[in-house]
Amino acid sequence: MRKTTAVIAALAVAVLAIIIAFDAFRSKPLESSFFSMNTLVTAEVEGGEAENCLAEIKSTLENLDYNILSRTAKGSAVYKLNQSGEALLDKQTAEYFSALADISRQSGGAFDFTLGAVSDLWDFGGTPSMPDEAELARALSHSGFEKISIGDSKISLNDKKAVIDFGASGKGIALDSIKACLEANETKRAVVSVGGSVLLYGEGEFAVGIRNPRGGSGSSIATLGITEGCVSTSGSYEQYFEQNGKRYHHIIDPETGYPVDNGLISVTVISESGLLSDALSTACFVLGIEEGSRLAEHYGAKVIFITEDNLIYTEDAVRDIITVTDKNYKFGG
Ligand code: AMP
Ligand code: MG
């Protein structure tokens, strides 16, 4: 009798061990990292058809880049638009572009995806240098959101010299497409980052670091505790050069054509939508703390500003979810 009990107990332990092992195996996230859209993509996906999902994420980003957003791939909508003055759009892309045009209007033109010719002169992605003033003024005169018309199936330039550049929002749009892959593959939980934008998807809480604006890509100054959503950061540390002790970086003030010089070094936006978090992080950087906060509120997004004197500005509700981990940074205001 005692022997039977021992055997049953041993069997129960073995079955439990198998269940635990299986569960651990099942709930271990699959990881992948690769380059796409000119940046590093890292993905951790758990549950459902995770493997298939990772493959779909990769192909989705390639399609998005080569067919729609790339400025250099000859088949992309943006390339055709910049070359010929118009391009056909599928319904989803037309919706993305209309949403961006709305942000341009709501930000009073601070968010401006027609600044391509100005950005090209600065060449922050290549060999940056101070552009010629007259050339800069000329490029700037061909920018502005009134230079573009967006219909349900077509986008066209009203000024053939305007150059479209979705660099400030492409990575966020990528996150929204990735979310659709995660849903279609019934995954449980995922963390996917595309450059400075990250998607938190599924069950539970997530800890997201805010990058140290003066440190390397691995160091952070604070941690955000959030549930599902997208977090994007725009920083003056991403692409820049220094001349006579002054930093010139890749976020341009559309009023002047020169890099924004308003005391901010980093702006982080939290939103349900990747398009919004990415576009608004750039827009709020240009607008500064007061107007940027108003713009974020209009879109139901949260915003965190960091100034060059190491002060963090945000609303009280966001302070509650931030843990500052670097003693050099403090809340301001
Ligand atoms: P992000 O890192 O998301 O803030 O995007 C910065 C990129 O957006 C730059 O490298 C430019 O390609 C583009 N850009 C620069 N200034 C602006 C602006 N005021 N509005 C929209 N896009 C901009
Ligand atoms: Mg952005």
Side-chain angles (χ1 to χ4, degrees):
M1 183 65 189
R2 219 193 258 166
K3 203 172 162 192
T4 320
T5 313
V7 169
I8 291 171
L11 268 174
V13 169
V15 168
L16 195 68
I18 289 169
I19 290 172
I20 290 169
F22 183 64
D23 221 48
F25 173 72
R26 241 191 7 192
S27 63
K28 202 165 167 249
L30 285 183
E31 296 177 14
S32 176
S33 57
F34 53 94
F35 274 90
S36 190
M37 302 182 75
N38 286 329
T39 195
L40 179 66
V41 179
T42 61
E44 279 183 31
V45 180
E46 195 177 324
E49 303 295 326
E51 200 172 337
N52 189 49
C53 185
L54 282 175
E56 271 183 26
I57 288 175
K58 212 169 172 178
S59 58
T60 298
L61 295 192
E62 269 158 26
N63 282 335
L64 187 62
D65 199 24
Y66 290 114
N67 296 329
I68 299 167
L69 296 174
S70 169
R71 281 194 52 196
T72 51
K74 294 208 163 65
S76 86
V78 168
Y79 184 88
K80 286 180 197 157
L81 180 64
N82 284 336
Q83 292 302 309
S84 70
E86 64 176 40
L88 297 177
L89 303 176
D90 61 88
K91 192 164 167 281
Q92 175 69 82
T93 309
E95 279 173 19
Y96 286 147
F97 288 1
S98 300
L100 294 173
D102 187 62
I103 297 172
S104 274
R105 276 189 296 274
Q106 293 294 338
S107 67
F111 179 78
D112 187 346
F113 51 80
T114 68
L115 282 176
V118 172
S119 291
D120 286 350
L121 288 176
W122 286 98
D123 197 18
F124 286 104
T127 317
S129 65
M130 186 74 76
D132 174 76
E133 218 173 298
E135 269 189 280
L136 195 59
R138 206 171 313 123
L140 198 61
S141 73
H142 297 291
S143 70
F145 59 87
E146 70 287 353
K147 301 273 171 14
I148 195 158
S149 301
I150 303 171
D152 289 344
S153 58
K154 202 169 96 175
I155 182 166
S156 44
L157 298 179
N158 307 326
D159 175 344
K160 293 275 161 25
K161 287 194 175 147
V163 178
I164 303 308
D165 164 30
F166 288 112
S169 51
K171 290 159 184 92
I173 290 174
L175 294 187
D176 292 335
S177 316
I178 289 169
K179 190 171 173 193
C181 296
L182 293 164
E183 282 164 354
N185 285 283
E186 297 179 347
T187 59
K188 260 189 1 205
R189 186 175 156 97
V191 178
V192 186
S193 70
V194 183
S197 289
V198 57
L199 166 70
L200 299 320
Y201 174 87
E203 299 164 1
E205 264 230 347
F206 299 83
V208 184
I210 297 182
R211 180 171 158 177
N212 182 349
R214 303 175 204 286
S217 58
S219 82
S220 62
I221 60 126
T223 308
L224 286 172
I226 62 170
T227 51
E228 280 195 301
C230 295
V231 181
S232 297
T233 299
S234 290
S236 60
Y237 52 81
E238 283 166 36
Q239 294 177 358
Y240 66 92
F241 67 94
E242 280 171 342
Q243 196 167 302
N244 301 329
K246 193 172 159 59
R247 177 174 293 195
Y248 297 87
H249 61 88
H250 69 146
I251 302 170
I252 305 291
D253 180 347
E255 282 191 358
T256 63
Y258 284 83
V260 176
D261 184 14
N262 60 6
L264 292 174
I265 52 174
S266 149
V267 176
T268 296
V269 172
I270 309 167
S271 166
E272 275 172 30
S273 142
L275 178 147
L276 283 178
S277 68
D278 194 4
L280 290 177
S281 70
T282 313
C284 292
F285 197 115
V286 179
L287 286 175
I289 297 175
E290 246 173 67
E291 283 185 61
S293 300
R294 271 202 295 277
L295 183 73
E297 196 185 345
H298 173 83
Y299 287 103
K302 307 286 181 207
V303 56
I304 301 154
F305 300 89
I306 303 179
T307 62
E308 56 198 9
D309 43 5
N310 293 6
L311 293 172
I312 304 168
Y313 289 88
T314 189
E315 61 185 275
D316 289 347
V318 180
R319 280 194 190 201
D320 294 344
I321 60 163
I322 301 184
T323 310
V324 180
T325 50
D326 184 326
K327 62 177 175 13
N328 296 311
Y329 291 80
K330 293 189 174 42
F331 286 111

PDB file of all heavy atoms in Angstrom, residues 313-328:
ATOM      1  N   TYR A 313      10.347  67.341 -17.421  1.00  0.00           N
ATOM      2  CA  TYR A 313       9.035  67.988 -17.294  1.00  0.00           C
ATOM      3  C   TYR A 313       7.959  67.056 -17.831  1.00  0.00           C
ATOM      4  O   TYR A 313       8.045  66.585 -18.980  1.00  0.00           O
ATOM      5  CB  TYR A 313       8.994  69.294 -18.087  1.00  0.00           C
ATOM      6  CG  TYR A 313       9.828  70.386 -17.466  1.00  0.00           C
ATOM      7  CD1 TYR A 313      11.175  70.515 -17.790  1.00  0.00           C
ATOM      8  CD2 TYR A 313       9.273  71.274 -16.542  1.00  0.00           C
ATOM      9  CE1 TYR A 313      11.954  71.513 -17.210  1.00  0.00           C
ATOM     10  CE2 TYR A 313      10.045  72.272 -15.955  1.00  0.00           C
ATOM     11  CZ  TYR A 313      11.380  72.379 -16.298  1.00  0.00           C
ATOM     12  OH  TYR A 313      12.147  73.357 -15.719  1.00  0.00           O
ATOM     13  N   THR A 314       6.943  66.803 -16.993  1.00  0.00           N
ATOM     14  CA  THR A 314       5.798  66.022 -17.455  1.00  0.00           C
ATOM     15  C   THR A 314       4.625  66.277 -16.517  1.00  0.00           C
ATOM     16  O   THR A 314       4.771  66.939 -15.494  1.00  0.00           O
ATOM     17  CB  THR A 314       6.140  64.513 -17.533  1.00  0.00           C
ATOM     18  OG1 THR A 314       5.071  63.821 -18.184  1.00  0.00           O
ATOM     19  CG2 THR A 314       6.394  63.899 -16.159  1.00  0.00           C
ATOM     20  N   GLU A 315       3.450  65.758 -16.863  1.00  0.00           N
ATOM     21  CA  GLU A 315       2.282  65.961 -15.990  1.00  0.00           C
ATOM     22  C   GLU A 315       2.369  65.010 -14.788  1.00  0.00           C
ATOM     23  O   GLU A 315       3.090  63.999 -14.833  1.00  0.00           O
ATOM     24  CB  GLU A 315       1.001  65.737 -16.779  1.00  0.00           C
ATOM     25  CG  GLU A 315       0.875  64.331 -17.330  1.00  0.00           C
ATOM     26  CD  GLU A 315      -0.353  64.160 -18.219  1.00  0.00           C
ATOM     27  OE1 GLU A 315      -1.421  63.900 -17.678  1.00  0.00           O
ATOM     28  OE2 GLU A 315      -0.208  64.275 -19.448  1.00  0.00           O
ATOM     29  N   ASP A 316       1.593  65.337 -13.733  1.00  0.00           N
ATOM     30  CA  ASP A 316       1.678  64.564 -12.485  1.00  0.00           C
ATOM     31  C   ASP A 316       1.382  63.081 -12.699  1.00  0.00           C
ATOM     32  O   ASP A 316       2.056  62.221 -12.125  1.00  0.00           O
ATOM     33  CB  ASP A 316       0.696  65.131 -11.445  1.00  0.00           C
ATOM     34  CG  ASP A 316       1.166  66.484 -10.944  1.00  0.00           C
ATOM     35  OD1 ASP A 316       2.335  66.835 -11.222  1.00  0.00           O
ATOM     36  OD2 ASP A 316       0.363  67.187 -10.303  1.00  0.00           O
ATOM     37  N   ALA A 317       0.381  62.788 -13.533  1.00  0.00           N
ATOM     38  CA  ALA A 317      -0.006  61.385 -13.742  1.00  0.00           C
ATOM     39  C   ALA A 317       1.165  60.582 -14.317  1.00  0.00           C
ATOM     40  O   ALA A 317       1.311  59.391 -14.032  1.00  0.00           O
ATOM     41  CB  ALA A 317      -1.202  61.310 -14.678  1.00  0.00           C
ATOM     42  N   VAL A 318       2.005  61.239 -15.107  1.00  0.00           N
ATOM     43  CA  VAL A 318       3.150  60.528 -15.698  1.00  0.00           C
ATOM     44  C   VAL A 318       4.292  60.414 -14.686  1.00  0.00           C
ATOM     45  O   VAL A 318       4.990  59.397 -14.638  1.00  0.00           O
ATOM     46  CB  VAL A 318       3.607  61.206 -17.016  1.00  0.00           C
ATOM     47  CG1 VAL A 318       4.779  60.467 -17.629  1.00  0.00           C
ATOM     48  CG2 VAL A 318       2.461  61.285 -18.000  1.00  0.00           C
ATOM     49  N   ARG A 319       4.429  61.440 -13.828  1.00  0.00           N
ATOM     50  CA  ARG A 319       5.460  61.353 -12.773  1.00  0.00           C
ATOM     51  C   ARG A 319       5.274  60.069 -11.960  1.00  0.00           C
ATOM     52  O   ARG A 319       6.248  59.448 -11.536  1.00  0.00           O
ATOM     53  CB  ARG A 319       5.353  62.536 -11.816  1.00  0.00           C
ATOM     54  CG  ARG A 319       5.989  63.789 -12.351  1.00  0.00           C
ATOM     55  CD  ARG A 319       6.127  64.773 -11.224  1.00  0.00           C
ATOM     56  NE  ARG A 319       6.514  66.082 -11.732  1.00  0.00           N
ATOM     57  CZ  ARG A 319       7.091  67.013 -10.985  1.00  0.00           C
ATOM     58  NH1 ARG A 319       7.330  66.798  -9.715  1.00  0.00           N
ATOM     59  NH2 ARG A 319       7.421  68.171 -11.494  1.00  0.00           N
ATOM     60  N   ASP A 320       3.989  59.698 -11.738  1.00  0.00           N
ATOM     61  CA  ASP A 320       3.698  58.509 -10.923  1.00  0.00           C
ATOM     62  C   ASP A 320       4.199  57.213 -11.560  1.00  0.00           C
ATOM     63  O   ASP A 320       4.358  56.220 -10.875  1.00  0.00           O
ATOM     64  CB  ASP A 320       2.178  58.391 -10.676  1.00  0.00           C
ATOM     65  CG  ASP A 320       1.669  59.546  -9.827  1.00  0.00           C
ATOM     66  OD1 ASP A 320       2.504  60.223  -9.193  1.00  0.00           O
ATOM     67  OD2 ASP A 320       0.441  59.775  -9.819  1.00  0.00           O
ATOM     68  N   ILE A 321       4.400  57.205 -12.869  1.00  0.00           N
ATOM     69  CA  ILE A 321       4.831  55.950 -13.508  1.00  0.00           C
ATOM     70  C   ILE A 321       6.311  55.986 -13.921  1.00  0.00           C
ATOM     71  O   ILE A 321       6.813  55.071 -14.549  1.00  0.00           O
ATOM     72  CB  ILE A 321       3.939  55.587 -14.733  1.00  0.00           C
ATOM     73  CG1 ILE A 321       3.983  56.694 -15.801  1.00  0.00           C
ATOM     74  CG2 ILE A 321       2.512  55.302 -14.292  1.00  0.00           C
ATOM     75  CD1 ILE A 321       3.476  56.246 -17.158  1.00  0.00           C
ATOM     76  N   ILE A 322       7.002  57.092 -13.552  1.00  0.00           N
ATOM     77  CA  ILE A 322       8.435  57.177 -13.878  1.00  0.00           C
ATOM     78  C   ILE A 322       9.279  56.923 -12.633  1.00  0.00           C
ATOM     79  O   ILE A 322       9.014  57.484 -11.573  1.00  0.00           O
ATOM     80  CB  ILE A 322       8.840  58.580 -14.392  1.00  0.00           C
ATOM     81  CG1 ILE A 322       8.053  58.961 -15.632  1.00  0.00           C
ATOM     82  CG2 ILE A 322      10.331  58.645 -14.697  1.00  0.00           C
ATOM     83  CD1 ILE A 322       8.502  60.295 -16.230  1.00  0.00           C
ATOM     84  N   THR A 323      10.298  56.092 -12.769  1.00  0.00           N
ATOM     85  CA  THR A 323      11.307  55.974 -11.718  1.00  0.00           C
ATOM     86  C   THR A 323      12.607  56.532 -12.294  1.00  0.00           C
ATOM     87  O   THR A 323      13.127  55.993 -13.285  1.00  0.00           O
ATOM     88  CB  THR A 323      11.524  54.485 -11.341  1.00  0.00           C
ATOM     89  OG1 THR A 323      10.249  53.902 -11.108  1.00  0.00           O
ATOM     90  CG2 THR A 323      12.397  54.353 -10.116  1.00  0.00           C
ATOM     91  N   VAL A 324      13.069  57.643 -11.714  1.00  0.00           N
ATOM     92  CA  VAL A 324      14.321  58.235 -12.212  1.00  0.00           C
ATOM     93  C   VAL A 324      15.479  57.437 -11.609  1.00  0.00           C
ATOM     94  O   VAL A 324      15.565  57.269 -10.391  1.00  0.00           O
ATOM     95  CB  VAL A 324      14.413  59.728 -11.826  1.00  0.00           C
ATOM     96  CG1 VAL A 324      15.705  60.339 -12.343  1.00  0.00           C
ATOM     97  CG2 VAL A 324      13.213  60.486 -12.380  1.00  0.00           C
ATOM     98  N   THR A 325      16.339  56.913 -12.467  1.00  0.00           N
ATOM     99  CA  THR A 325      17.409  56.033 -11.996  1.00  0.00           C
ATOM    100  C   THR A 325      18.781  56.704 -12.046  1.00  0.00           C
ATOM    101  O   THR A 325      19.762  56.141 -11.580  1.00  0.00           O
ATOM    102  CB  THR A 325      17.447  54.755 -12.861  1.00  0.00           C
ATOM    103  OG1 THR A 325      17.458  55.151 -14.241  1.00  0.00           O
ATOM    104  CG2 THR A 325      16.251  53.863 -12.591  1.00  0.00           C
ATOM    105  N   ASP A 326      18.853  57.910 -12.641  1.00  0.00           N
ATOM    106  CA  ASP A 326      20.124  58.621 -12.739  1.00  0.00           C
ATOM    107  C   ASP A 326      20.023  59.894 -11.895  1.00  0.00           C
ATOM    108  O   ASP A 326      19.195  60.772 -12.189  1.00  0.00           O
ATOM    109  CB  ASP A 326      20.388  58.967 -14.215  1.00  0.00           C
ATOM    110  CG  ASP A 326      21.739  59.627 -14.423  1.00  0.00           C
ATOM    111  OD1 ASP A 326      22.189  60.380 -13.524  1.00  0.00           O
ATOM    112  OD2 ASP A 326      22.343  59.413 -15.482  1.00  0.00           O
ATOM    113  N   LYS A 327      20.844  59.980 -10.860  1.00  0.00           N
ATOM    114  CA  LYS A 327      20.707  61.090  -9.903  1.00  0.00           C
ATOM    115  C   LYS A 327      21.038  62.462 -10.497  1.00  0.00           C
ATOM    116  O   LYS A 327      20.754  63.492  -9.906  1.00  0.00           O
ATOM    117  CB  LYS A 327      21.535  60.830  -8.641  1.00  0.00           C
ATOM    118  CG  LYS A 327      23.021  60.707  -8.881  1.00  0.00           C
ATOM    119  CD  LYS A 327      23.738  60.521  -7.572  1.00  0.00           C
ATOM    120  CE  LYS A 327      25.219  60.258  -7.693  1.00  0.00           C
ATOM    121  NZ  LYS A 327      25.893  60.469  -8.959  1.00  0.00           N
ATOM    122  N   ASN A 328      21.590  62.477 -11.707  1.00  0.00           N
ATOM    123  CA  ASN A 328      21.868  63.761 -12.361  1.00  0.00           C
ATOM    124  C   ASN A 328      20.611  64.414 -12.929  1.00  0.00           C
ATOM    125  O   ASN A 328      20.648  65.566 -13.359  1.00  0.00           O
ATOM    126  CB  ASN A 328      22.878  63.570 -13.488  1.00  0.00           C
ATOM    127  CG  ASN A 328      24.207  63.121 -12.965  1.00  0.00           C
ATOM    128  OD1 ASN A 328      24.723  63.716 -12.025  1.00  0.00           O
ATOM    129  ND2 ASN A 328      24.748  62.054 -13.518  1.00  0.00           N
TER     130      ASN A 328
END
